[in-house]
Amino acid sequence: MPSYTRLGMAALLPNRDISLSDSYEVLVDGQSCVDLAQRQNILQSNDPNSCCIQFDELAAMKGAAFKNFFTGKHLIYVYHNQIDARGDKAITEHEVFNACEEGISEIISLVQKIAGGGNTYRFIVTADHGFLYRRDTLAESDKIGSIKDKNAFKNRRFVIAEDALIDDGVDNFQLGKSIGNDDTRVVSFPISHNVFKASGGLNYVHGGSSPQELLIPVIDIKMD
C-alpha cells in the first residue's frame, strides 16, 4: 500500500529492496522500473534466460516466430493492460466492467495458445493492484479537501508527503512500514470510499485501503 501501478509492478519483480526516491520514482534494488525495458533488466539480473513482453505483441505472433520466442526461456513476464487503459481515463472509465470481462477472455485465449504452440504449460496469473469503482457520480461531500503540500505525491486515493494529512475520515502510516525500509514519509488515505480532491477519474480509483484493492488473486495454472 498504496496499491497503485508503480509500486505493484515493482513488487511483482524479484527484489531485495523497494524504495521511493525524493521525486517519488519507484526503485527496485536501486534501479528504475517505470517501463518494460527497465523491468526486463531487473528480471534478467535475477535470471538471464528471462524476458518481458507486452500482451498484444505476444498475442500477435504466429507460427515459427511464436514457438521460437519461448525456446530457452525460463521465465516470461507478459503485461496485460486492458483494464487500467480504459478505467484510468475519465472518458472510458464507465467501460471498466467490459474491460474486465474482455481481459479475462484474452488471458485465457493466450494461455491456451501458449500451451498449444509455445511448449509451455505452467502459468501464474496475477495483478499489480485491484480497484474500486462506483457507478454513481461523486458528490462534492464525497471529496476530501484540497492538498496544500506542493511537494506531496497526490492521488485521489492516497497522498505521500513528509507529514500526515489530518482530516476527518483520513488515516495514515509510515511509508517504510509498507515497503520494508526506514522511509519516514507518510501515506495518508481515506478510510471510506471518499476521495481526495486531485486530478483523475471520479468513478474508477485505486491506491486506497479497501480489500478490493489490496487482496490480489494469484492463479496458478498447470496445463495437461
Side-chain angles (χ1 to χ4, degrees):
M1 186 180 170
S3 65
Y4 75 112
T5 299
R6 293 187 213 173
L7 272 177
M9 291 286 200
L12 290 171
L13 291 166
N15 67 80
R16 293 180 298 277
D17 174 68
I18 296 175
S19 60
L20 263 69
S21 70
D22 291 342
S23 58
Y24 300 104
E25 180 185 11
V26 178
L27 305 175
V28 172
D29 299 336
Q31 300 179 66
S32 179
C33 59
V34 71
D35 59 29
L36 193 78
Q38 291 175 344
R39 291 194 288 268
Q40 179 165 282
N41 286 339
I42 293 168
L43 191 62
Q44 289 180 342
S45 68
N46 185 71
D47 183 347
N49 297 311
S50 61
C51 72
C52 297
I53 189 169
Q54 294 289 358
F55 176 93
D56 289 343
E57 184 181 351
L58 182 57
M61 288 185 189
K62 296 179 181 177
F66 183 79
K67 185 175 182 179
N68 292 338
F69 176 76
F70 295 90
T71 302
K73 303 274 196 330
H74 295 163
L75 180 63
I76 299 169
Y77 274 41
V78 183
Y79 288 95
H80 182 277
N81 195 36
Q82 168 81 272
I83 298 166
D84 259 4
R86 282 152 79 176
D88 276 339
K89 296 183 180 68
I91 196 169
T92 56
E93 64 178 343
H94 65 282
E95 300 174 8
V96 71
F97 293 121
N98 291 337
C100 289
E101 212 169 311
E102 290 167 18
I104 291 168
S105 297
E106 289 175 355
I107 292 167
I108 289 171
S109 295
L110 186 63
V111 166
Q112 292 171 334
K113 181 179 178 181
I114 294 171
N119 198 32
T120 299
Y121 307 102
R122 175 77 184 277
F123 306 86
I124 295 174
V125 183
T126 190
D128 54 339
H129 57 72
F131 65 87
L132 272 182
Y133 181 89
R134 41 184 295 171
R135 185 79 73 179
D136 55 321
T137 303
L138 287 174
E140 197 61 29
S141 59
D142 295 324
K143 300 173 189 175
I144 300 168
S146 56
I147 302 133
K148 295 174 182 168
D149 185 347
K150 293 182 180 179
N151 297 317
F153 179 24
K154 307 167 193 173
N155 189 288
R156 286 202 174 276
R157 291 289 294 170
F158 68 90
V159 176
I160 302 176
E162 292 296 331
D163 299 310
L165 183 64
I166 307 300
D167 206 334
D168 291 339
V170 176
D171 203 350
N172 47 70
F173 65 88
Q174 191 172 306
L175 177 62
K177 289 183 178 179
S178 177
I179 58 178
N181 60 22
D182 57 359
D183 195 323
T184 58
R185 286 173 291 185
V186 179
V187 182
S188 300
F189 54 93
I191 53 177
S192 67
H193 59 263
N194 292 353
V195 298
F196 294 120
K197 287 184 179 179
S199 59
L202 289 172
N203 300 83
Y204 173 89
V205 288
H206 47 259
S209 59
S210 69
Q212 293 92 327
E213 297 180 66
L214 293 174
L215 299 182
I216 305 302
V218 180
I219 305 171
D220 191 342
I221 303 170
K222 296 171 186 171
M223 300 288 280
D224 290 333

